[in-house]
Amino acid sequence: MNKGHLAPPRDSRDKWCGGKLPKDYQVELFLRGLTRDSIIYLPTGKGKTLVAAMILKRMADINPTRHGVFLVDRVPLVYQQAERLFEDTGLQIFTLCGENASPKNVRRAFQIPNGSEAAQRVVVVTVGCYINLLNRRSTSISDVHTMIFDEVHHAASKTAGHAFNEVIRQIQSTPQPMRPAVIGLTASP
């Protein structure tokens, strides 16, 4: 795989990350995230969300019939991360959580005519809401090009019942060619 082709071009920053020039370590994590499932461990404020945005943007370009999903475990993070992702990618961002997951909003987020605009959208959603949508068949893991788990350390907590683990089980039960790229973000070792 030609890594130069995958890297964000440094002379066109505005196309990649809202005009932000990624640090070398962020470019390295970006390249790793494009080639294999990864956990991005960086201290708070060191650019985990920027790396995730870069991955989502590039995967959107190379997977035109699928969309990205950014999973969070709390409602305030839905809106916080949606704003950051829009600033950093310019992609169409949809937010879903228990308070706004009306049938109309779910259709707007997931049901795309002809699949033509799928890759240019990311759905930022609470994990509980996403599981409900999967169980009701309002969406499918196989429609996703990249699944970002924000604060993924919760999946490894002593309570194995964290909702992230249910999504991971559903990803594992999806046939390999239809599985999304999986990226975890954490500041906790």
Side-chain angles (χ1 to χ4, degrees), residues 104-125:
K104 179 181 177 182
N105 286 342
V106 169
R107 276 192 306 278
R108 282 184 50 234
F110 292 113
Q111 295 177 358
I112 301 128
N114 302 329
S116 60
E117 298 174 4
Q120 297 306 312
R121 61 180 55 207
V122 174
V123 181
V124 182
V125 58

PDB file of all heavy atoms in Angstrom, residues 104-125:
ATOM      1  N   LYS A 104     -38.122  10.165  12.064  1.00  0.00           N
ATOM      2  CA  LYS A 104     -37.708  11.085  10.999  1.00  0.00           C
ATOM      3  C   LYS A 104     -36.203  11.365  11.054  1.00  0.00           C
ATOM      4  O   LYS A 104     -35.517  11.314  10.031  1.00  0.00           O
ATOM      5  CB  LYS A 104     -38.488  12.395  11.125  1.00  0.00           C
ATOM      6  CG  LYS A 104     -38.121  13.415  10.079  1.00  0.00           C
ATOM      7  CD  LYS A 104     -38.915  14.704  10.274  1.00  0.00           C
ATOM      8  CE  LYS A 104     -38.477  15.757   9.264  1.00  0.00           C
ATOM      9  NZ  LYS A 104     -39.192  17.013   9.471  1.00  0.00           N
ATOM     10  N   ASN A 105     -35.671  11.633  12.246  1.00  0.00           N
ATOM     11  CA  ASN A 105     -34.240  11.902  12.376  1.00  0.00           C
ATOM     12  C   ASN A 105     -33.400  10.663  12.067  1.00  0.00           C
ATOM     13  O   ASN A 105     -32.323  10.773  11.478  1.00  0.00           O
ATOM     14  CB  ASN A 105     -33.918  12.437  13.766  1.00  0.00           C
ATOM     15  CG  ASN A 105     -34.355  13.862  13.959  1.00  0.00           C
ATOM     16  OD1 ASN A 105     -34.612  14.590  12.995  1.00  0.00           O
ATOM     17  ND2 ASN A 105     -34.471  14.277  15.208  1.00  0.00           N
ATOM     18  N   VAL A 106     -33.886   9.497  12.463  1.00  0.00           N
ATOM     19  CA  VAL A 106     -33.163   8.256  12.165  1.00  0.00           C
ATOM     20  C   VAL A 106     -33.104   8.041  10.656  1.00  0.00           C
ATOM     21  O   VAL A 106     -32.055   7.716  10.098  1.00  0.00           O
ATOM     22  CB  VAL A 106     -33.813   7.054  12.892  1.00  0.00           C
ATOM     23  CG1 VAL A 106     -33.243   5.736  12.394  1.00  0.00           C
ATOM     24  CG2 VAL A 106     -33.638   7.198  14.399  1.00  0.00           C
ATOM     25  N   ARG A 107     -34.230   8.248   9.974  1.00  0.00           N
ATOM     26  CA  ARG A 107     -34.243   8.105   8.511  1.00  0.00           C
ATOM     27  C   ARG A 107     -33.270   9.091   7.870  1.00  0.00           C
ATOM     28  O   ARG A 107     -32.525   8.738   6.956  1.00  0.00           O
ATOM     29  CB  ARG A 107     -35.652   8.331   7.954  1.00  0.00           C
ATOM     30  CG  ARG A 107     -36.531   7.103   8.010  1.00  0.00           C
ATOM     31  CD  ARG A 107     -37.816   7.277   7.193  1.00  0.00           C
ATOM     32  NE  ARG A 107     -38.579   8.470   7.544  1.00  0.00           N
ATOM     33  CZ  ARG A 107     -39.416   8.565   8.573  1.00  0.00           C
ATOM     34  NH1 ARG A 107     -39.601   7.527   9.359  1.00  0.00           N
ATOM     35  NH2 ARG A 107     -40.066   9.690   8.804  1.00  0.00           N
ATOM     36  N   ARG A 108     -33.283  10.330   8.337  1.00  0.00           N
ATOM     37  CA  ARG A 108     -32.376  11.340   7.775  1.00  0.00           C
ATOM     38  C   ARG A 108     -30.913  10.926   7.952  1.00  0.00           C
ATOM     39  O   ARG A 108     -30.088  11.137   7.072  1.00  0.00           O
ATOM     40  CB  ARG A 108     -32.595  12.689   8.462  1.00  0.00           C
ATOM     41  CG  ARG A 108     -33.805  13.432   7.969  1.00  0.00           C
ATOM     42  CD  ARG A 108     -33.952  14.824   8.602  1.00  0.00           C
ATOM     43  NE  ARG A 108     -32.729  15.607   8.524  1.00  0.00           N
ATOM     44  CZ  ARG A 108     -32.126  16.184   9.573  1.00  0.00           C
ATOM     45  NH1 ARG A 108     -32.620  16.071  10.783  1.00  0.00           N
ATOM     46  NH2 ARG A 108     -31.026  16.868   9.406  1.00  0.00           N
ATOM     47  N   ALA A 109     -30.608  10.335   9.095  1.00  0.00           N
ATOM     48  CA  ALA A 109     -29.222   9.964   9.383  1.00  0.00           C
ATOM     49  C   ALA A 109     -28.755   8.739   8.614  1.00  0.00           C
ATOM     50  O   ALA A 109     -27.615   8.689   8.157  1.00  0.00           O
ATOM     51  CB  ALA A 109     -29.046   9.731  10.883  1.00  0.00           C
ATOM     52  N   PHE A 110     -29.621   7.743   8.446  1.00  0.00           N
ATOM     53  CA  PHE A 110     -29.176   6.452   7.922  1.00  0.00           C
ATOM     54  C   PHE A 110     -29.705   6.069   6.547  1.00  0.00           C
ATOM     55  O   PHE A 110     -29.078   5.272   5.862  1.00  0.00           O
ATOM     56  CB  PHE A 110     -29.533   5.333   8.894  1.00  0.00           C
ATOM     57  CG  PHE A 110     -28.775   5.388  10.179  1.00  0.00           C
ATOM     58  CD1 PHE A 110     -29.414   5.667  11.370  1.00  0.00           C
ATOM     59  CD2 PHE A 110     -27.409   5.165  10.203  1.00  0.00           C
ATOM     60  CE1 PHE A 110     -28.724   5.719  12.566  1.00  0.00           C
ATOM     61  CE2 PHE A 110     -26.696   5.222  11.382  1.00  0.00           C
ATOM     62  CZ  PHE A 110     -27.363   5.498  12.572  1.00  0.00           C
ATOM     63  N   GLN A 111     -30.848   6.544   6.149  1.00  0.00           N
ATOM     64  CA  GLN A 111     -31.416   6.093   4.891  1.00  0.00           C
ATOM     65  C   GLN A 111     -31.100   7.089   3.783  1.00  0.00           C
ATOM     66  O   GLN A 111     -31.699   8.157   3.708  1.00  0.00           O
ATOM     67  CB  GLN A 111     -32.919   5.879   5.039  1.00  0.00           C
ATOM     68  CG  GLN A 111     -33.208   4.760   6.013  1.00  0.00           C
ATOM     69  CD  GLN A 111     -34.688   4.559   6.247  1.00  0.00           C
ATOM     70  OE1 GLN A 111     -35.525   5.270   5.729  1.00  0.00           O
ATOM     71  NE2 GLN A 111     -35.004   3.562   7.054  1.00  0.00           N
ATOM     72  N   ILE A 112     -30.196   6.696   2.935  1.00  0.00           N
ATOM     73  CA  ILE A 112     -29.688   7.563   1.894  1.00  0.00           C
ATOM     74  C   ILE A 112     -30.184   7.089   0.530  1.00  0.00           C
ATOM     75  O   ILE A 112     -29.992   5.931   0.176  1.00  0.00           O
ATOM     76  CB  ILE A 112     -28.150   7.573   1.907  1.00  0.00           C
ATOM     77  CG1 ILE A 112     -27.687   8.064   3.277  1.00  0.00           C
ATOM     78  CG2 ILE A 112     -27.580   8.423   0.810  1.00  0.00           C
ATOM     79  CD1 ILE A 112     -26.724   7.174   3.932  1.00  0.00           C
ATOM     80  N   PRO A 113     -30.815   7.954  -0.236  1.00  0.00           N
ATOM     81  CA  PRO A 113     -31.273   7.529  -1.563  1.00  0.00           C
ATOM     82  C   PRO A 113     -30.102   7.140  -2.454  1.00  0.00           C
ATOM     83  O   PRO A 113     -29.133   7.875  -2.562  1.00  0.00           O
ATOM     84  CB  PRO A 113     -32.007   8.762  -2.107  1.00  0.00           C
ATOM     85  CG  PRO A 113     -31.638   9.888  -1.225  1.00  0.00           C
ATOM     86  CD  PRO A 113     -31.094   9.334   0.045  1.00  0.00           C
ATOM     87  N   ASN A 114     -30.175   5.961  -3.020  1.00  0.00           N
ATOM     88  CA  ASN A 114     -29.172   5.436  -3.955  1.00  0.00           C
ATOM     89  C   ASN A 114     -27.777   5.286  -3.351  1.00  0.00           C
ATOM     90  O   ASN A 114     -26.836   5.033  -4.063  1.00  0.00           O
ATOM     91  CB  ASN A 114     -29.078   6.310  -5.205  1.00  0.00           C
ATOM     92  CG  ASN A 114     -30.393   6.411  -5.919  1.00  0.00           C
ATOM     93  OD1 ASN A 114     -31.191   5.482  -5.895  1.00  0.00           O
ATOM     94  ND2 ASN A 114     -30.638   7.553  -6.536  1.00  0.00           N
ATOM     95  N   GLY A 115     -27.626   5.509  -2.073  1.00  0.00           N
ATOM     96  CA  GLY A 115     -26.320   5.368  -1.434  1.00  0.00           C
ATOM     97  C   GLY A 115     -25.304   6.384  -1.889  1.00  0.00           C
ATOM     98  O   GLY A 115     -24.150   6.332  -1.509  1.00  0.00           O
ATOM     99  N   SER A 116     -25.699   7.342  -2.692  1.00  0.00           N
ATOM    100  CA  SER A 116     -24.739   8.252  -3.306  1.00  0.00           C
ATOM    101  C   SER A 116     -24.080   9.217  -2.335  1.00  0.00           C
ATOM    102  O   SER A 116     -22.970   9.649  -2.573  1.00  0.00           O
ATOM    103  CB  SER A 116     -25.427   9.051  -4.420  1.00  0.00           C
ATOM    104  OG  SER A 116     -26.498   9.789  -3.871  1.00  0.00           O
ATOM    105  N   GLU A 117     -24.747   9.557  -1.252  1.00  0.00           N
ATOM    106  CA  GLU A 117     -24.170  10.504  -0.313  1.00  0.00           C
ATOM    107  C   GLU A 117     -23.729   9.846   0.981  1.00  0.00           C
ATOM    108  O   GLU A 117     -23.358  10.524   1.925  1.00  0.00           O
ATOM    109  CB  GLU A 117     -25.189  11.600   0.014  1.00  0.00           C
ATOM    110  CG  GLU A 117     -25.618  12.416  -1.173  1.00  0.00           C
ATOM    111  CD  GLU A 117     -26.733  13.386  -0.796  1.00  0.00           C
ATOM    112  OE1 GLU A 117     -27.099  13.460   0.384  1.00  0.00           O
ATOM    113  OE2 GLU A 117     -27.228  14.057  -1.696  1.00  0.00           O
ATOM    114  N   ALA A 118     -23.770   8.547   1.050  1.00  0.00           N
ATOM    115  CA  ALA A 118     -23.506   7.851   2.309  1.00  0.00           C
ATOM    116  C   ALA A 118     -22.153   8.199   2.890  1.00  0.00           C
ATOM    117  O   ALA A 118     -22.025   8.462   4.077  1.00  0.00           O
ATOM    118  CB  ALA A 118     -23.615   6.336   2.108  1.00  0.00           C
ATOM    119  N   ALA A 119     -21.120   8.177   2.082  1.00  0.00           N
ATOM    120  CA  ALA A 119     -19.779   8.358   2.594  1.00  0.00           C
ATOM    121  C   ALA A 119     -19.524   9.775   3.068  1.00  0.00           C
ATOM    122  O   ALA A 119     -18.589  10.008   3.804  1.00  0.00           O
ATOM    123  CB  ALA A 119     -18.748   7.977   1.533  1.00  0.00           C
ATOM    124  N   GLN A 120     -20.321  10.709   2.667  1.00  0.00           N
ATOM    125  CA  GLN A 120     -20.087  12.083   3.069  1.00  0.00           C
ATOM    126  C   GLN A 120     -20.817  12.425   4.359  1.00  0.00           C
ATOM    127  O   GLN A 120     -21.022  13.578   4.674  1.00  0.00           O
ATOM    128  CB  GLN A 120     -20.469  13.037   1.932  1.00  0.00           C
ATOM    129  CG  GLN A 120     -19.619  12.844   0.698  1.00  0.00           C
ATOM    130  CD  GLN A 120     -18.125  12.925   0.988  1.00  0.00           C
ATOM    131  OE1 GLN A 120     -17.653  13.834   1.642  1.00  0.00           O
ATOM    132  NE2 GLN A 120     -17.373  11.937   0.518  1.00  0.00           N
ATOM    133  N   ARG A 121     -21.194  11.397   5.116  1.00  0.00           N
ATOM    134  CA  ARG A 121     -21.885  11.642   6.370  1.00  0.00           C
ATOM    135  C   ARG A 121     -21.304  10.797   7.491  1.00  0.00           C
ATOM    136  O   ARG A 121     -20.799   9.703   7.275  1.00  0.00           O
ATOM    137  CB  ARG A 121     -23.382  11.425   6.240  1.00  0.00           C
ATOM    138  CG  ARG A 121     -23.793  10.036   5.861  1.00  0.00           C
ATOM    139  CD  ARG A 121     -25.295   9.859   5.752  1.00  0.00           C
ATOM    140  NE  ARG A 121     -25.854  10.818   4.823  1.00  0.00           N
ATOM    141  CZ  ARG A 121     -27.099  11.275   4.875  1.00  0.00           C
ATOM    142  NH1 ARG A 121     -27.911  10.845   5.785  1.00  0.00           N
ATOM    143  NH2 ARG A 121     -27.541  12.134   4.003  1.00  0.00           N
ATOM    144  N   VAL A 122     -21.397  11.382   8.683  1.00  0.00           N
ATOM    145  CA  VAL A 122     -20.999  10.690   9.901  1.00  0.00           C
ATOM    146  C   VAL A 122     -22.142  10.856  10.887  1.00  0.00           C
ATOM    147  O   VAL A 122     -22.702  11.946  11.020  1.00  0.00           O
ATOM    148  CB  VAL A 122     -19.699  11.288  10.497  1.00  0.00           C
ATOM    149  CG1 VAL A 122     -19.376  10.661  11.858  1.00  0.00           C
ATOM    150  CG2 VAL A 122     -18.533  11.123   9.538  1.00  0.00           C
ATOM    151  N   VAL A 123     -22.494   9.779  11.559  1.00  0.00           N
ATOM    152  CA  VAL A 123     -23.528   9.821  12.577  1.00  0.00           C
ATOM    153  C   VAL A 123     -22.840   9.735  13.937  1.00  0.00           C
ATOM    154  O   VAL A 123     -22.146   8.763  14.222  1.00  0.00           O
ATOM    155  CB  VAL A 123     -24.544   8.666  12.408  1.00  0.00           C
ATOM    156  CG1 VAL A 123     -25.625   8.740  13.477  1.00  0.00           C
ATOM    157  CG2 VAL A 123     -25.152   8.688  11.008  1.00  0.00           C
ATOM    158  N   VAL A 124     -23.006  10.772  14.751  1.00  0.00           N
ATOM    159  CA  VAL A 124     -22.490  10.776  16.123  1.00  0.00           C
ATOM    160  C   VAL A 124     -23.671  10.383  17.003  1.00  0.00           C
ATOM    161  O   VAL A 124     -24.710  11.042  16.989  1.00  0.00           O
ATOM    162  CB  VAL A 124     -21.933  12.159  16.519  1.00  0.00           C
ATOM    163  CG1 VAL A 124     -21.353  12.103  17.933  1.00  0.00           C
ATOM    164  CG2 VAL A 124     -20.880  12.627  15.518  1.00  0.00           C
ATOM    165  N   VAL A 125     -23.511   9.294  17.736  1.00  0.00           N
ATOM    166  CA  VAL A 125     -24.659   8.688  18.406  1.00  0.00           C
ATOM    167  C   VAL A 125     -24.238   8.083  19.742  1.00  0.00           C
ATOM    168  O   VAL A 125     -23.118   7.564  19.870  1.00  0.00           O
ATOM    169  CB  VAL A 125     -25.309   7.622  17.469  1.00  0.00           C
ATOM    170  CG1 VAL A 125     -24.328   6.540  17.068  1.00  0.00           C
ATOM    171  CG2 VAL A 125     -26.565   7.016  18.058  1.00  0.00           C
TER     172      VAL A 125
END
